[in-house]
Structure formats: structure tokens, C-alpha cells
Amino acid sequence: MTRIKPTKRTTIYDLAHLAGTSASAVSAVLNGNWKKRRISSQLAEKITRIAEEQGYALNMQASLLRREKSKIIGMIVPKYDNRYFGSIVEMFEAMARERGLFPIITCTRRDPDLEIEAARTMLSYQCDWMVATGATDPDRITEICAAAGVGSLNLDLPGSRAPSVISDNYAGARELTLRVLKKCETRFGGKEPLLFVGGRGTDHNTSERLRGFRDAHEAFGVPVDEHHLLACGYAPDKAAGALRDLQARGEDLPHGLFVNSTISLEGVMRWMSETGHYGDRQPVMGCFDWDPFVALLGHDIEMVRQDVPAMLKEVFDIIDTGTAKLPLVEIPPIFIG
Amino acid sequence: MTRIKPTKRTTIYDLAHLAGTSASAVSAVLNGNWKKRRISSQLAEKITRIAEEQGYALNMQASLLRREKSKIIGMIVPKYDNRYFGSIVEMFEAMARERGLFPIITCTRRDPDLEIEAARTMLSYQCDWMVATGATDPDRITEICAAAGVGSLNLDLPGSRAPSVISDNYAGARELTLRVLKKCETRFGGKEPLLFVGGRGTDHNTSERLRGFRDAHEAFGVPVDEHHLLACGYAPDKAAGALRDLQARGEDLPHGLFVNSTISLEGVMRWMSETGHYGDRQPVMGCFDWDPFVALLGHDIEMVRQDVPAMLKEVFDIIDTGTAKLPLVEIPPIFIG
DNA sequence: AATTCTTGCTTCATCGATTGAGCAATTGCG
DNA sequence: CGCAATTGCTCAATCGATGAAGCAAGAATT
């Protein structure tokens, strides 16, 4: 049960009081034209320090002025280059608008600094709520929002300080792995461990999927090959590079692949077509993510489609009621193929 | 040479003056709680009428108050379900941020009413610039923006009242058509016209691509089959439906297809795999758009990738300088395959 | 006829940041 | 020493929308 406490935002007057100076001096210092207005750097430093201590954020719209709620809802999203985030954003916008909220979305390209900067910018626009999607450091964002009295939520990747809505990565990956293992056995005869490609070892989703991957192997009665767990990042180039390295080390490539996202799959497919490694005998693949064209590839690819409508329903349930029943909601993904 | 004139926005005081009443009455009427504040419907109607005449837009942030420039730049985009618009949005955001602008993006799902509503909302947030991407009625948006003294720009689909940056649809489609025609001749022997699927006959891009399609056929010395021009809309279902209808009418399907977007291609591919129509003998296809997985499909697909970086460079050149050298900039797309 | 209630407005203070005007204290100059 | 120039601030008005408080005129009630 998480409740959002409406704390009062720090103002230039508060800061002026704390610094024993005037609001205009604070203003001049904080918006950077203190030199032009001939404020001493002593005072400037003092004000800057106090502002930082207080977690001050510039109130961009003195207007939303007299409206206690801005009805602005911010979302941070890593990329627009895949169907998963695309549908999250599109549906998020529609659901926000349905509720009379104004969605502001920022694409942070998996850049941690940009995530923080974007969060601060949105707060200075007085957003009432913040949804951090696939954030690299969700807790940092939660912290910044909490300091401004703004509720926040994590989507896709969980945090520990705000309610989180994510896919059931463990169960999804376990089932996907099992399916690919079985298909592999049928196709090629004999039990053989899969290759895991893509994602970051440090992120929750990848580690949960790896856990499901391992448990599926154990249930299937075949040991995981530790050299074949390539959590090399999501980008196509990284996935292709990891495979290239593996090949350069003279490792045998297995007949079955677990690919951690369509983005990584893009790299895997490119590598395959460039090196012609698998030749005509395509590997059996499982992809933790969905794309309509991947479904049509002439390859054997099982897909797990994350249930975006169900995830966003949970997100807006929390926002609508202002409370989260559970700190972490895990939504079962959908199997395709 | 288009120059943006900074007109003063109409306020509730202007309206109060015009209506011979007070600003608070105007405010009450315009934000809908005039019944609660017991304003006569006579006055309410008068004020409403005058507000409409004056093209009044609510100033959502009285704050951006005292700053003549909000540094907010709005973008309207139809969908997030393909790489083209995805990369437009991602790059637009990055380029805006580079310039110290705050991008606000709204996805209007090709809904004309939502486009207008989104434009109005962005104006009430005091945006300085508006980019209408793939808008169904760009001129309407230009008009609304002009009334508020805000500069606007069209991207992807052109308008007649604001500078437009689009792909060279005619040249791209002509070349793509020629390539597919030739490939078809090589593959199947004999000259044969192609089938055109997807897009809306009413939009500029589709009609220009159709023009290129026709001219390519003429240059190739083969007549276009008028029953095989299916500008049925972009959505996958519409493309699939158009093919189903064609088949139901007992028409022969040609060996070559011109597909007007990856979105339509999704429907074409689905229809092909569901009906198994072409069987093993896949048609030769050309797609006016690009997707990494389409490139990997086991099919013969030529693609035309629209040059997003070049298009956005033009867009920001206009925004940076405040002037457009030409009313219409056509960017040559890139051939792949 | 006196009082209360209702109707239909207007007045005014307010939200938080910005900036022109103003002023005391110090320094410079003849 | 006296006056001007400079330095380093503070004061206070302002942007546009909102809504509580207030007020005059008429209707209803006693």
C-alpha cells in the first residue's frame, strides 16, 4: 500500500528566507544571469548550495499557477525502435487523454544522465505523475520525484521505491526456453543447451529471464553452458558483436537461441545473414518480445509478446486510485508461434 | 520565403473588453463552470461567440508568464507502429533538446479530430513551433497556429499554407516501380504490370507515388491495370481486406507488388501466409518504407528508406532561421535491396 | 412594510518568476 | 573634502487565470 503524500514544493521565497536574502537574488542566481545582475559569487554559491540541498526545481509554469493539479503526466521511455515501446507509448497517450491528463513523453535512449535530466525537466513542468519505463536507475527517478511531492511508477523495469508493473519475466523466459529446448530436440535430436543473447546482466529483466532460462534447462535435464550466456546489451551491434567474438574464440554454436529482445534479434539476424554461419540449417530461436515481421520470417522463431494493455491497465489503476495494492505487479506475457 | 509574424495572443481581458464584461466572467464561461458561478447563458453565449471569433486559446501556463518564448516545440505524429515515425520522433526529440527546446509529442492515430484537438492543446501550452507530421489536414493546423501567432511546419505530408518537408515520393516510387518491374521480368519472363496496395488515394504521398508508379509503367512500356490500384488505407487489415476482395472478384494476381508502407506490408504478408495464395512462388515486391526485419524476410523485397536525418535537418534549418527558402522541400529517399 | 433569499454579476488577492527602477555604500577623481 | 561613478543589492509591479468574498437589485416570505 503506497500512498502519495503531497509535499509542498520549494520556492525561490523559501530559498530566499533560508539564505537571508531576497527572492530576486535567488531568481537571478538560479537562472544563471547573476553576473549580469551583479550578484557576488559568494552569495551565488550559497544560494546554489541551499537550492540543491532543498531539491529545488524551477516551476516552469507559474501558471498551472493556482491549479493544484497540473494534470500533466510524464513518461520516460528508452527507445522508439521496436513495437513493444511503441505500443506502450501509443496506448499510454490514449489512456492518459481518456482521463483528461496531458501526457509528456521523453525518449532517453537508455542514457542514464538524460533520464535524470528529463525527469527534472518534467518536474519543472509541474507534472503530477511520472512513469519511468525501462529506466536504468528507476530509484533515482523515484527519489527526485518524491522530493518534489510527485508520485512515480515504474514500468517494464522495476524499482524498489515506487510501485512497479512489469512482465513476468521469469515465467515467460522459463516457458519460452522450454519450448525452444523441446523444439530443438525434436528438430535436431538429442538434448542440448541454448545460447542466450542480448540484454544487460545488471538489469532486473535480463537476470530474471536468465533465471528462467537456467531453471528451464534444469527441468529439461541439461546443463547450461556458462560461456553461452551473452548479456552484451540490447543494441543490434552489441548482439552481433557478441556472436562474432564467440565465433572468434572458436566456440561451437548451438542449434537453439534465446534472444532477449527484437532489437537484439535484429543484430543476430544480421550476423547470421552476413556470416552465413548457420547456412541453410537455421537455428531454432526464441525471442522475448514480439514483432509482426519477425513472425513472418522464414525462420523457426517462438515469440513472447509482453501484454501491454494489461500492464497499462495496472499502471492507470494505480494512478486513478492513487494507491498500489502491491509494490510489484508481474503480468504474464503471451506466447506466439 | 515564409516569415513568421509574432501576433499577440487573445486574452480573457481582451474578450472581457470586447464583451463589455469582466475577465472573471469570461474565465468562468470559457472553462465551463459558468453554471456553478451563475452566469446567464445569454452572456455565456456572447462570450463564447466572441472567443471563437477571436480564435482565443486558453493560456495553460500563465507562467511561461513573462517569458515571450516558451521554448516548447510541439509535434503531431500519426503512429508509433513503424520504424519511420519511430525514428522521426526519436531524432526530433534529440535535435530539439540539442537546441534547448522542449519537445512535446502527441500521437493522433490518424484521427483528424484528435489532430485538431492536440494542436489546440499544444497551443494552450504556449508552444513556439508546431511540426505536423503526416497530418490528415495540415492546412487546418497551420491556420489554427497562425491565428495564435505560432509558426508551423509540415513533415512527411505537405500542406499549402506552411513550409513542408517531405520525401521525393514521385521519384522514389518511379525508381522503385522500375526496379520491381525489371526484377519481375527477369524472374518470371515477360512484361507485366504491378499491383499497388496501401495508402489513401486522397493523400499527397499516395497520389505522388501512384504518379511515379504510372510513369514507370509507361517508361517500361506496359499499361497499368486500373483494377490493381488499391489505395485502401494504410492499416494491415485494410491491405489484407483489399487483397481478399480482389481475389473474391476472381481477378488474377500479378507477380509483382508495390506496397505503400511497411504497415500495409504487414497486412499483405499476413494475407499471403493465411491464404497461401502465392504458395512457394513468392511475388517480387517493392515497399515504400523500410524495416530491418522486412529486409531479412525470405522474400524478394526492394525497399525505399525515407531519409529521416536529412528531412529533420531541413525542418530544424527552418526553425533555427525562422525562414523557409522554399515552400516545399523534397528529400530523395534511399534504396535498399 | 420589513426582512430574508436568490440571482447575477464584479472586485481583488493570489499563484511564482522576472526585471526595471531605485538606493545605500563604497571607490575614484580633482 | 566634495561630488560623481560604480558596485551590489532590494523593492515592487507584472504576466494571465482563478475563485472566495462582496454587493446591488429584485423576488419571496412573514
Side-chain angles (χ1 to χ4, degrees):
Chain A
M1 187 77 128
T2 311
R3 179 159 274 288
I4 284 68
K5 45 160 209 288
T7 355
K8 199 73 184 136
R9 216 174 282 252
T10 315
T11 70
I12 51 166
Y13 298 99
D14 300 333
L15 297 182
H17 185 72
L18 286 168
T21 182
S22 75
S24 69
V26 174
S27 168
V29 169
L30 293 179
N31 63 47
N33 67 354
W34 55 281
K35 277 194 173 152
K36 210 171 68 196
R37 307 234 21 241
R38 292 172 301 182
I39 307 283
S40 71
S41 35
Q42 260 186 30
L43 182 56
E45 275 173 38
K46 184 178 178 185
I47 291 173
T48 306
R49 207 194 62 236
I50 295 175
E52 267 173 17
E53 283 167 9
Q54 301 296 313
Y56 174 80
L58 179 72
N59 186 331
M60 204 66 92
Q61 38 235 101
S63 157
L64 284 184
L65 205 62
R66 289 196 62 83
R67 293 174 88 274
E68 66 302 340
K69 311 252 79 182
S70 70
K71 300 219 175 194
I72 294 177
I73 179 166
M75 175 176 260
I76 280 173
V77 78
K79 293 286 284 176
Y80 286 120
D81 63 359
N82 62 82
R83 286 302 191 94
Y84 175 53
F85 290 130
S87 61
I88 285 180
V89 170
E90 197 170 317
M91 197 164 181
F92 173 78
E93 274 195 30
M95 292 179 77
R97 232 175 290 280
E98 262 172 28
R99 287 162 172 76
L101 304 174
F102 185 71
I104 293 183
I105 293 149
T106 294
C107 173
T108 54
R109 285 163 292 152
R110 303 190 196 283
D111 175 340
D113 294 338
L114 187 50
E115 276 173 18
I116 302 301
E117 198 199 311
R120 283 199 204 283
T121 306
M122 284 173 173
L123 287 175
S124 80
Y125 275 81
Q126 309 287 98
C127 75
D128 286 339
W129 275 95
M130 175 84 84
V131 179
T133 307
T136 53
D137 190 355
D139 287 345
R140 185 74 207 290
I141 294 173
T142 303
E143 191 188 298
I144 293 173
C145 289
V150 170
S152 75
L153 256 173
N154 302 307
L155 180 61
D156 180 59
L157 276 174
S160 60
R161 301 153 92 126
S164 303
V165 177
I166 64 173
S167 284
D168 189 341
N169 293 289
Y170 170 76
R174 191 175 186 279
E175 173 67 16
L176 181 64
T177 306
L178 271 176
R179 289 182 180 216
V180 176
L181 282 169
K182 284 175 190 161
K183 209 168 181 180
C184 240
E185 187 180 21
T186 314
R187 190 72 41 92
F188 301 104
K191 297 189 174 191
E192 192 194 356
L194 308 182
L195 176 74
F196 185 103
V197 200
R200 279 182 305 213
T202 53
D203 82 29
H204 171 94
N205 291 0
T206 299
S207 71
E208 279 296 283
R209 290 173 199 172
L210 271 170
R211 194 164 67 84
F213 181 83
R214 287 177 190 281
D215 283 7
H217 279 75
E218 196 178 326
F220 195 65
V222 84
V224 165
D225 182 339
E226 297 296 331
H227 295 101
H228 286 180
L229 306 180
L230 312 176
C232 51
Y234 289 102
D237 285 348
K238 300 212 171 149
L243 291 171
R244 199 182 321 110
D245 293 350
L246 194 72
Q247 197 180 15
R249 287 204 300 275
E251 300 257 0
D252 273 349
L253 291 174
H255 293 104
L257 269 62
F258 182 113
V259 188
N260 202 12
S261 72
T262 50
I263 290 303
S264 304
L265 182 63
E266 201 182 314
V268 172
M269 299 298 292
R270 202 166 62 207
W271 174 81
M272 275 172 46
S273 77
E274 277 171 10
T275 63
H277 181 80
Y278 280 97
D280 293 335
R281 205 163 157 218
Q282 296 294 351
V284 174
M285 290 193 268
C287 178
F288 203 109
D289 241 332
W290 175 87
D291 181 283
F293 290 114
V294 170
L296 296 164
L297 285 173
H299 304 268
D300 248 320
I301 306 187
E302 296 267 337
M303 280 185 287
V304 165
R305 184 175 189 171
Q306 305 190 64
D307 191 346
V308 172
M311 291 168 87
L312 285 177
K313 191 185 170 308
E314 287 291 336
V315 165
F316 279 99
D317 273 359
I318 295 171
I319 290 169
D320 290 343
T321 62
T323 59
K325 288 184 210 82
L326 296 167
L328 179 69
V329 181
E330 290 181 290
I331 308 287
I334 300 158
F335 285 88
I336 294 174
Chain B
M1 186 76 128
T2 310
R3 177 159 279 283
I4 283 71
K5 46 161 209 278
T7 354
K8 198 74 185 134
R9 213 176 286 255
T10 315
T11 72
I12 51 166
Y13 299 97
D14 300 332
L15 298 181
H17 184 74
L18 287 168
T21 182
S22 74
S24 71
V26 175
S27 167
V29 168
L30 293 180
N31 63 48
N33 66 355
W34 56 279
K35 279 195 172 152
K36 210 170 68 193
R37 309 232 21 236
R38 292 174 301 184
I39 306 283
S40 70
S41 35
Q42 260 185 32
L43 182 57
E45 274 172 40
K46 183 177 179 187
I47 290 174
T48 306
R49 205 196 61 238
I50 295 175
E52 268 174 16
E53 283 169 7
Q54 300 297 315
Y56 173 79
L58 179 72
N59 184 332
M60 204 65 92
Q61 34 234 106
S63 155
L64 286 184
L65 206 61
R66 288 196 66 82
R67 295 172 86 273
E68 69 299 343
K69 309 253 82 182
S70 70
K71 300 219 172 193
I72 293 177
I73 177 163
M75 173 176 262
I76 281 173
V77 78
K79 294 286 285 176
Y80 286 121
D81 63 359
N82 61 83
R83 287 300 191 94
Y84 175 53
F85 290 130
S87 61
I88 285 180
V89 171
E90 198 170 315
M91 196 163 181
F92 174 77
E93 276 196 29
M95 290 179 78
R97 231 175 291 279
E98 261 171 29
R99 287 160 171 77
L101 303 175
F102 185 71
I104 293 184
I105 294 150
T106 294
C107 171
T108 54
R109 286 164 293 151
R110 303 191 196 282
D111 175 340
D113 294 338
L114 187 51
E115 275 174 16
I116 303 303
E117 197 199 311
R120 282 199 204 285
T121 305
M122 284 174 172
L123 287 175
S124 80
Y125 275 80
Q126 311 285 104
C127 75
D128 289 338
W129 275 94
M130 176 84 85
V131 179
T133 309
T136 54
D137 190 354
D139 286 346
R140 186 75 208 289
I141 293 173
T142 302
E143 194 187 295
I144 293 172
C145 289
V150 170
S152 75
L153 255 172
N154 302 308
L155 180 61
D156 180 59
L157 277 174
S160 61
R161 300 154 91 127
S164 303
V165 178
I166 64 173
S167 284
D168 189 341
N169 293 289
Y170 170 76
R174 189 175 190 279
E175 172 67 16
L176 181 65
T177 305
L178 270 177
R179 287 182 182 217
V180 176
L181 283 168
K182 283 176 191 161
K183 210 167 179 179
C184 240
E185 187 181 23
T186 314
R187 190 73 39 92
F188 302 103
K191 296 189 176 192
E192 191 194 355
L194 309 183
L195 176 73
F196 185 103
V197 200
R200 281 181 305 214
T202 52
D203 82 29
H204 171 94
N205 291 359
T206 299
S207 71
E208 278 297 283
R209 290 174 198 172
L210 271 168
R211 194 163 65 85
F213 181 85
R214 287 177 189 282
D215 283 7
H217 278 75
E218 196 178 325
F220 194 66
V222 83
V224 166
D225 182 339
E226 297 296 330
H227 295 101
H228 285 180
L229 305 181
L230 312 175
C232 52
Y234 288 102
D237 286 348
K238 302 214 169 146
L243 290 172
R244 200 182 320 112
D245 293 350
L246 195 72
Q247 197 180 16
R249 286 203 300 275
E251 298 257 1
D252 274 348
L253 291 175
H255 293 106
L257 268 63
F258 182 111
V259 188
N260 201 11
S261 72
T262 52
I263 290 303
S264 304
L265 181 64
E266 202 182 314
V268 171
M269 299 298 293
R270 202 167 64 208
W271 174 82
M272 276 172 47
S273 76
E274 277 170 9
T275 64
H277 182 81
Y278 280 97
D280 293 336
R281 205 162 158 217
Q282 297 295 351
V284 173
M285 291 193 269
C287 179
F288 203 107
D289 240 332
W290 175 87
D291 179 284
F293 290 114
V294 170
L296 297 165
L297 286 172
H299 303 269
D300 250 319
I301 306 186
E302 296 267 339
M303 281 186 287
V304 165
R305 183 174 192 170
Q306 305 190 63
D307 192 346
V308 172
M311 292 168 88
L312 285 177
K313 190 186 171 308
E314 288 292 336
V315 166
F316 279 100
D317 272 359
I318 294 171
I319 290 170
D320 289 343
T321 61
T323 59
K325 286 184 214 81
L326 297 165
L328 179 69
V329 180
E330 289 182 290
I331 306 287
I334 300 158
F335 285 88
I336 294 176

